[in-house]
Amino acid sequence: MRQKIVKVGKLEIGADNPIVFIIGPCQLESRDHAMIMAEHIAQICCRTGSKFIFKSSYDKANRSSIASNRGIGMQEGLRILKEISQTFECPVITDVHEASQCATVAEFVDVVQIPAFLCRQTDLLIAAGQAGKPVNVKKGQFLAPWDICNVAEKIASTGNTNIMLCERGTSFGYNTLINDFRALQTMAETGYPVIFDATHSVQQPSRLGNSSGGERKFIAGLARAACAMGVNGVFIETHQDPDNAPCDGPNMMPINQMEVLIQELQAFDELRKSF
């Protein structure tokens, strides 16, 4: 099946286009922090000649504990994302959690993202499709890769076929995720571009009791393997001080390691396409 190309701003994702990076801190902490992170990412991608979509969440609605920091809220978060897009001339992406949010969020961002836990919520998927922006849907940790076609069909039923499918690991017992790289090829057989989420793939959900753990040391290796398999983009959350980040610190990449990693992933992508 010929792979669809999804256009996000000036970016074309899919087919033989170079891999695209979806990068940013897990959570919007403040305007100043988001702007600093976006500037670092933009500079790295300029030096490496790579294309990126800035990612951060205004609300982490699926935190482990009621005491966890959820974020700065929708209104302020969307304003910050819009400012980042305009300042750095880059597309932006964020999560939605309820169908009622989709139309409003789509006014501010370039891509609407469906969290993994919500990937079968029909009303949410349809509302995201109807919002008219490209949709990046995370494959649920509980979902078989061959069942992601049903998720895509719900979005496409609205007439919106600008869909990306994102792999982020599969539940493997309690508090653990594992990657089956056959899933990437299976998901690609839908014809939609496939994104590999390298950072949530090493997450250990609720492993620390009231928060999630993670195994950061495996991020780079998994990302390289995914590029060798032939994904169209790589999703990487990053932070200047992940060990003290308010959300998902154990599975975020330090920003000072991102440039080398991006160069490595570009090389793997180019090598695969050379055959």
mmCIF file of all heavy atoms in Angstrom, residues 34-60:
data_model
loop_
_atom_site.group_PDB
_atom_site.id
_atom_site.type_symbol
_atom_site.label_atom_id
_atom_site.label_comp_id
_atom_site.label_asym_id
_atom_site.label_seq_id
_atom_site.Cartn_x
_atom_site.Cartn_y
_atom_site.Cartn_z
ATOM 1 N N ALA A 34 8.969 27.103 28.722
ATOM 2 C CA ALA A 34 8.600 26.587 27.399
ATOM 3 C C ALA A 34 9.365 27.314 26.297
ATOM 4 O O ALA A 34 9.836 26.689 25.331
ATOM 5 C CB ALA A 34 7.096 26.733 27.189
ATOM 6 N N MET A 35 9.503 28.629 26.416
ATOM 7 C CA MET A 35 10.218 29.403 25.402
ATOM 8 C C MET A 35 11.699 29.035 25.376
ATOM 9 O O MET A 35 12.308 28.917 24.300
ATOM 10 C CB MET A 35 10.044 30.893 25.666
ATOM 11 C CG MET A 35 8.623 31.404 25.488
ATOM 12 S SD MET A 35 8.013 31.287 23.783
ATOM 13 C CE MET A 35 8.920 32.633 23.012
ATOM 14 N N ILE A 36 12.290 28.831 26.539
ATOM 15 C CA ILE A 36 13.701 28.436 26.600
ATOM 16 C C ILE A 36 13.900 27.061 25.963
ATOM 17 O O ILE A 36 14.831 26.842 25.177
ATOM 18 C CB ILE A 36 14.196 28.439 28.061
ATOM 19 C CG1 ILE A 36 14.293 29.870 28.577
ATOM 20 C CG2 ILE A 36 15.546 27.732 28.185
ATOM 21 C CD1 ILE A 36 14.532 29.964 30.070
ATOM 22 N N MET A 37 13.021 26.123 26.287
ATOM 23 C CA MET A 37 13.129 24.781 25.712
ATOM 24 C C MET A 37 12.935 24.818 24.201
ATOM 25 O O MET A 37 13.669 24.167 23.440
ATOM 26 C CB MET A 37 12.091 23.854 26.359
ATOM 27 C CG MET A 37 12.357 23.531 27.820
ATOM 28 S SD MET A 37 13.917 22.667 28.079
ATOM 29 C CE MET A 37 13.618 21.160 27.179
ATOM 30 N N ALA A 38 11.956 25.585 23.744
ATOM 31 C CA ALA A 38 11.708 25.680 22.302
ATOM 32 C C ALA A 38 12.906 26.292 21.583
ATOM 33 O O ALA A 38 13.261 25.873 20.478
ATOM 34 C CB ALA A 38 10.448 26.507 22.045
ATOM 35 N N GLU A 39 13.527 27.277 22.211
ATOM 36 C CA GLU A 39 14.710 27.905 21.591
ATOM 37 C C GLU A 39 15.856 26.904 21.472
ATOM 38 O O GLU A 39 16.511 26.819 20.426
ATOM 39 C CB GLU A 39 15.151 29.111 22.412
ATOM 40 C CG GLU A 39 16.324 29.854 21.785
ATOM 41 C CD GLU A 39 16.702 31.111 22.545
ATOM 42 O OE1 GLU A 39 16.223 31.283 23.696
ATOM 43 O OE2 GLU A 39 17.467 31.927 21.990
ATOM 44 N N HIS A 40 16.095 26.129 22.527
ATOM 45 C CA HIS A 40 17.147 25.111 22.482
ATOM 46 C C HIS A 40 16.865 24.093 21.372
ATOM 47 O O HIS A 40 17.762 23.727 20.597
ATOM 48 C CB HIS A 40 17.238 24.385 23.819
ATOM 49 C CG HIS A 40 18.007 25.120 24.875
ATOM 50 N ND1 HIS A 40 19.259 25.643 24.662
ATOM 51 C CD2 HIS A 40 17.702 25.398 26.160
ATOM 52 C CE1 HIS A 40 19.692 26.218 25.767
ATOM 53 N NE2 HIS A 40 18.752 26.099 26.691
ATOM 54 N N ILE A 41 15.612 23.639 21.304
ATOM 55 C CA ILE A 41 15.249 22.631 20.300
ATOM 56 C C ILE A 41 15.398 23.197 18.897
ATOM 57 O O ILE A 41 15.926 22.539 17.995
ATOM 58 C CB ILE A 41 13.815 22.136 20.560
ATOM 59 C CG1 ILE A 41 13.761 21.348 21.877
ATOM 60 C CG2 ILE A 41 13.311 21.283 19.394
ATOM 61 C CD1 ILE A 41 12.359 21.094 22.383
ATOM 62 N N ALA A 42 14.943 24.426 18.695
ATOM 63 C CA ALA A 42 15.050 25.057 17.379
ATOM 64 C C ALA A 42 16.509 25.192 16.957
ATOM 65 O O ALA A 42 16.855 24.965 15.791
ATOM 66 C CB ALA A 42 14.373 26.426 17.398
ATOM 67 N N GLN A 43 17.382 25.559 17.883
ATOM 68 C CA GLN A 43 18.798 25.694 17.566
ATOM 69 C C GLN A 43 19.421 24.350 17.220
ATOM 70 O O GLN A 43 20.205 24.243 16.269
ATOM 71 C CB GLN A 43 19.528 26.334 18.750
ATOM 72 C CG GLN A 43 19.178 27.800 18.966
ATOM 73 C CD GLN A 43 19.772 28.369 20.243
ATOM 74 O OE1 GLN A 43 20.250 27.631 21.106
ATOM 75 N NE2 GLN A 43 19.736 29.678 20.372
ATOM 76 N N ILE A 44 19.071 23.319 17.981
ATOM 77 C CA ILE A 44 19.589 21.975 17.702
ATOM 78 C C ILE A 44 19.147 21.506 16.323
ATOM 79 O O ILE A 44 19.943 20.992 15.531
ATOM 80 C CB ILE A 44 19.119 20.983 18.788
ATOM 81 C CG1 ILE A 44 19.831 21.266 20.106
ATOM 82 C CG2 ILE A 44 19.346 19.536 18.349
ATOM 83 C CD1 ILE A 44 19.246 20.519 21.292
ATOM 84 N N CYS A 45 17.874 21.696 16.015
ATOM 85 C CA CYS A 45 17.345 21.230 14.730
ATOM 86 C C CYS A 45 17.896 22.060 13.573
ATOM 87 O O CYS A 45 18.077 21.542 12.463
ATOM 88 C CB CYS A 45 15.820 21.251 14.757
ATOM 89 S SG CYS A 45 15.128 19.977 15.854
ATOM 90 N N CYS A 46 18.202 23.317 13.812
ATOM 91 C CA CYS A 46 18.841 24.144 12.784
ATOM 92 C C CYS A 46 20.240 23.614 12.486
ATOM 93 O O CYS A 46 20.630 23.471 11.320
ATOM 94 C CB CYS A 46 18.886 25.599 13.237
ATOM 95 S SG CYS A 46 19.633 26.711 12.028
ATOM 96 N N ARG A 47 20.995 23.307 13.537
ATOM 97 C CA ARG A 47 22.361 22.809 13.346
ATOM 98 C C ARG A 47 22.388 21.441 12.686
ATOM 99 O O ARG A 47 23.303 21.131 11.914
ATOM 100 C CB ARG A 47 23.091 22.751 14.689
ATOM 101 C CG ARG A 47 23.423 24.113 15.278
ATOM 102 C CD ARG A 47 24.412 23.987 16.418
ATOM 103 N NE ARG A 47 23.868 23.273 17.561
ATOM 104 C CZ ARG A 47 23.277 23.845 18.606
ATOM 105 N NH1 ARG A 47 23.129 25.174 18.629
ATOM 106 N NH2 ARG A 47 22.828 23.132 19.616
ATOM 107 N N THR A 48 21.390 20.610 12.974
ATOM 108 C CA THR A 48 21.375 19.256 12.412
ATOM 109 C C THR A 48 20.601 19.169 11.100
ATOM 110 O O THR A 48 20.588 18.113 10.458
ATOM 111 C CB THR A 48 20.750 18.271 13.419
ATOM 112 O OG1 THR A 48 19.422 18.712 13.762
ATOM 113 C CG2 THR A 48 21.584 18.175 14.693
ATOM 114 N N GLY A 49 19.953 20.259 10.716
ATOM 115 C CA GLY A 49 19.173 20.245 9.480
ATOM 116 C C GLY A 49 17.936 19.370 9.575
ATOM 117 O O GLY A 49 17.461 18.842 8.561
ATOM 118 N N SER A 50 17.399 19.221 10.774
ATOM 119 C CA SER A 50 16.232 18.361 10.973
ATOM 120 C C SER A 50 14.960 19.192 11.141
ATOM 121 O O SER A 50 15.011 20.372 11.461
ATOM 122 C CB SER A 50 16.439 17.471 12.204
ATOM 123 O OG SER A 50 16.795 18.250 13.327
ATOM 124 N N LYS A 51 13.827 18.546 10.916
ATOM 125 C CA LYS A 51 12.530 19.196 11.042
ATOM 126 C C LYS A 51 11.853 18.723 12.330
ATOM 127 O O LYS A 51 11.908 17.537 12.660
ATOM 128 C CB LYS A 51 11.644 18.868 9.842
ATOM 129 C CG LYS A 51 12.265 19.213 8.493
ATOM 130 C CD LYS A 51 12.536 20.699 8.351
ATOM 131 C CE LYS A 51 13.077 21.032 6.963
ATOM 132 N NZ LYS A 51 13.396 22.479 6.834
ATOM 133 N N PHE A 52 11.197 19.669 13.025
ATOM 134 C CA PHE A 52 10.589 19.282 14.293
ATOM 135 C C PHE A 52 9.224 19.916 14.477
ATOM 136 O O PHE A 52 8.892 20.947 13.886
ATOM 137 C CB PHE A 52 11.504 19.655 15.469
ATOM 138 C CG PHE A 52 11.471 21.112 15.850
ATOM 139 C CD1 PHE A 52 10.721 21.552 16.934
ATOM 140 C CD2 PHE A 52 12.201 22.049 15.133
ATOM 141 C CE1 PHE A 52 10.692 22.896 17.293
ATOM 142 C CE2 PHE A 52 12.189 23.399 15.488
ATOM 143 C CZ PHE A 52 11.430 23.820 16.571
ATOM 144 N N ILE A 53 8.444 19.258 15.325
ATOM 145 C CA ILE A 53 7.176 19.765 15.833
ATOM 146 C C ILE A 53 7.355 19.896 17.342
ATOM 147 O O ILE A 53 7.762 18.940 18.009
ATOM 148 C CB ILE A 53 6.016 18.808 15.512
ATOM 149 C CG1 ILE A 53 5.880 18.599 13.996
ATOM 150 C CG2 ILE A 53 4.702 19.325 16.103
ATOM 151 C CD1 ILE A 53 4.918 17.484 13.623
ATOM 152 N N PHE A 54 7.066 21.081 17.888
ATOM 153 C CA PHE A 54 7.230 21.276 19.328
ATOM 154 C C PHE A 54 6.045 20.665 20.059
ATOM 155 O O PHE A 54 4.889 20.931 19.731
ATOM 156 C CB PHE A 54 7.337 22.754 19.674
ATOM 157 C CG PHE A 54 7.531 23.008 21.147
ATOM 158 C CD1 PHE A 54 8.797 22.948 21.705
ATOM 159 C CD2 PHE A 54 6.449 23.284 21.967
ATOM 160 C CE1 PHE A 54 8.984 23.171 23.071
ATOM 161 C CE2 PHE A 54 6.622 23.502 23.335
ATOM 162 C CZ PHE A 54 7.889 23.445 23.888
ATOM 163 N N LYS A 55 6.347 19.855 21.091
ATOM 164 C CA LYS A 55 5.305 19.177 21.848
ATOM 165 C C LYS A 55 5.369 19.530 23.322
ATOM 166 O O LYS A 55 6.443 19.517 23.932
ATOM 167 C CB LYS A 55 5.449 17.659 21.693
ATOM 168 C CG LYS A 55 4.377 16.838 22.428
ATOM 169 C CD LYS A 55 4.733 16.531 23.875
ATOM 170 C CE LYS A 55 3.484 16.041 24.648
ATOM 171 N NZ LYS A 55 3.797 15.858 26.087
ATOM 172 N N SER A 56 4.239 19.835 23.908
ATOM 173 C CA SER A 56 4.114 19.921 25.361
ATOM 174 C C SER A 56 2.629 19.907 25.713
ATOM 175 O O SER A 56 1.789 20.268 24.883
ATOM 176 C CB SER A 56 4.785 21.196 25.895
ATOM 177 O OG SER A 56 5.056 21.061 27.272
ATOM 178 N N SER A 57 2.326 19.490 26.927
ATOM 179 C CA SER A 57 0.926 19.320 27.341
ATOM 180 C C SER A 57 0.515 20.392 28.342
ATOM 181 O O SER A 57 1.251 20.670 29.293
ATOM 182 C CB SER A 57 0.725 17.945 27.981
ATOM 183 O OG SER A 57 1.024 16.915 27.058
ATOM 184 N N TYR A 58 -0.664 20.977 28.134
ATOM 185 C CA TYR A 58 -1.185 21.961 29.076
ATOM 186 C C TYR A 58 -1.862 21.301 30.266
ATOM 187 O O TYR A 58 -2.069 21.921 31.309
ATOM 188 C CB TYR A 58 -2.161 22.917 28.386
ATOM 189 C CG TYR A 58 -3.340 22.251 27.719
ATOM 190 C CD1 TYR A 58 -4.453 21.850 28.449
ATOM 191 C CD2 TYR A 58 -3.353 22.019 26.344
ATOM 192 C CE1 TYR A 58 -5.538 21.243 27.848
ATOM 193 C CE2 TYR A 58 -4.437 21.422 25.729
ATOM 194 C CZ TYR A 58 -5.521 21.026 26.483
ATOM 195 O OH TYR A 58 -6.592 20.417 25.865
ATOM 196 N N ASP A 59 -2.213 20.005 30.101
ATOM 197 C CA ASP A 59 -2.882 19.277 31.186
ATOM 198 C C ASP A 59 -2.496 17.809 31.086
ATOM 199 O O ASP A 59 -2.686 17.178 30.045
ATOM 200 C CB ASP A 59 -4.399 19.432 31.071
ATOM 201 C CG ASP A 59 -5.154 18.675 32.153
ATOM 202 O OD1 ASP A 59 -4.543 18.351 33.192
ATOM 203 O OD2 ASP A 59 -6.358 18.407 31.969
ATOM 204 N N LYS A 60 -1.934 17.265 32.161
ATOM 205 C CA LYS A 60 -1.657 15.835 32.235
ATOM 206 C C LYS A 60 -2.786 15.194 33.026
ATOM 207 O O LYS A 60 -2.731 15.077 34.251
ATOM 208 C CB LYS A 60 -0.300 15.574 32.889
ATOM 209 C CG LYS A 60 0.874 16.263 32.208
ATOM 210 C CD LYS A 60 1.041 15.817 30.767
ATOM 211 C CE LYS A 60 1.419 14.367 30.641
ATOM 212 N NZ LYS A 60 1.648 13.965 29.234
#
